[in-house]
Amino acid sequence: MGKGSYLFARLDNGEEAVLFEGGNRIPFFWLTLLGQDDIDVFYEQISLRPADGTQQRKCCFELDKLRALVRAADRRNYVAQYYASCLPLFDDWLYFMQITDFSDRKIYLDPDEICACYETPERFVDSLRRAITSFDDNRETWYESTVAATCGYESRNQLERGFGDFSKACREMNRKDIYSHFDKKIHLEKKQSVGKKIAWAVSITLFVALLAVAVFFFVFE
């Protein structure tokens, strides 16, 4: 695995299959899988690392699949209340996670590279706790309503059917995101075009004014 955050499974052949990549953040839906006890275990892993930085090892969440998915399903009302447009995607993602083969019945979430970007592991863990508390206390937290920010980018793996093939909501949201970027680019170009026209008009006006002044002094001197 490279840099960033990953959600992956262990297959029957012992290999790891990365299902989703989160880049430099932990996507919204992944956080719904976590409980405070999971964060406690993760923090304990980090605490066991040597202070001098030697013998570094990857630290990740090892979540019981059934327990994690039940917890996420319990937070569906939170998604419905604050991110209704993402609810079909959330439902598809939950079902995909349910039917995907996790040979050891565990969901693995690797935030190790992100954790390293924080000043201290404690600060990173505190940010996770705040996110989980917002779900439990039903407090709105700002997340982008995009595929990348909710379930993450789909990763290439050994699975026969990927999430993008499975989820209509994912395909539609990706399409809208692409079109919105394209539309923004068109409008930006139009704005730049108008700006250039105004700049040209001002330049021409100044040139004409200076020419008129020059002619006036030439004639009346």
Side-chain angles (χ1 to χ4, degrees):
M1 299 180 195
K3 293 184 177 181
S5 58
Y6 301 89
L7 193 153
F8 65 96
R10 287 208 168 97
L11 306 180
D12 287 330
N13 59 10
E15 294 185 6
E16 295 177 352
V18 176
L19 305 179
F20 299 96
E21 300 179 17
N24 60 356
R25 58 186 164 186
I26 301 179
F28 174 30
F29 293 171
W30 302 13
L31 293 170
T32 64
L33 299 168
L34 301 178
Q36 297 292 355
D37 53 339
D38 298 314
I39 298 175
D40 291 339
V41 173
F42 179 78
Y43 181 65
E44 186 177 351
Q45 287 184 27
I46 299 177
S47 301
L48 293 175
R49 284 179 167 177
D52 58 5
T54 60
Q55 297 179 352
Q56 291 282 354
R57 65 184 183 90
K58 283 279 187 181
C59 292
C60 69
F61 290 93
E62 300 180 11
L63 309 175
D64 177 87
K65 178 182 178 180
L66 179 59
R67 186 181 180 191
L69 292 181
V70 168
R71 179 182 287 123
D74 287 341
R75 289 165 173 165
R76 184 180 185 274
N77 288 337
Y78 180 91
V79 180
Q81 180 176 356
Y82 296 113
Y83 302 93
S85 63
C86 299
L87 189 59
L89 181 67
F90 183 68
D91 289 340
D92 284 355
W93 180 78
L94 270 183
Y95 186 62
F96 177 78
M97 294 292 290
Q98 180 183 343
I99 64 175
T100 297
D101 178 28
F102 294 82
S103 63
D104 56 359
R105 309 300 296 174
K106 287 186 178 181
I107 298 173
Y108 294 89
L109 197 165
D110 179 3
D112 200 56
E113 295 289 345
I114 298 178
C115 179
C117 296
Y118 281 72
E119 293 181 7
T120 64
E122 288 77 12
R123 287 185 177 238
F124 174 67
V125 169
D126 285 344
S127 70
L128 293 178
R129 294 193 189 281
R130 287 195 298 271
I132 302 306
T133 301
S134 69
F135 299 148
D136 298 337
D137 293 348
N138 199 35
R139 295 199 312 267
E140 183 176 6
T141 306
W142 184 85
Y143 295 102
E144 293 178 350
S145 298
T146 63
V147 172
T150 52
C151 62
Y153 298 102
E154 184 177 4
S155 181
R156 295 181 179 179
N157 50 54
Q158 304 176 32
L159 301 180
E160 293 182 1
R161 191 181 185 192
F163 182 63
D165 300 325
F166 168 83
S167 172
K168 179 181 178 181
C170 178
R171 295 193 299 272
E172 289 180 348
M173 286 186 67
N174 272 327
R175 191 180 301 116
K176 289 179 182 178
D177 188 50
I178 292 172
Y179 285 158
S180 67
H181 279 83
F182 183 71
D183 188 52
K184 287 177 183 177
K185 183 177 180 181
I186 291 176
H187 287 301
L188 181 62
E189 289 176 349
K190 286 182 179 179
K191 288 180 181 179
Q192 289 177 339
S193 176
V194 172
K196 288 181 180 179
K197 288 180 181 179
I198 294 175
W200 274 107
V202 171
S203 298
I204 292 172
T205 302
L206 289 175
F207 176 76
V208 172
L210 291 173
L211 183 62
V213 171
V215 170
F216 176 82
F217 280 105
F218 178 78
V219 172
F220 292 97
E221 280 186 356

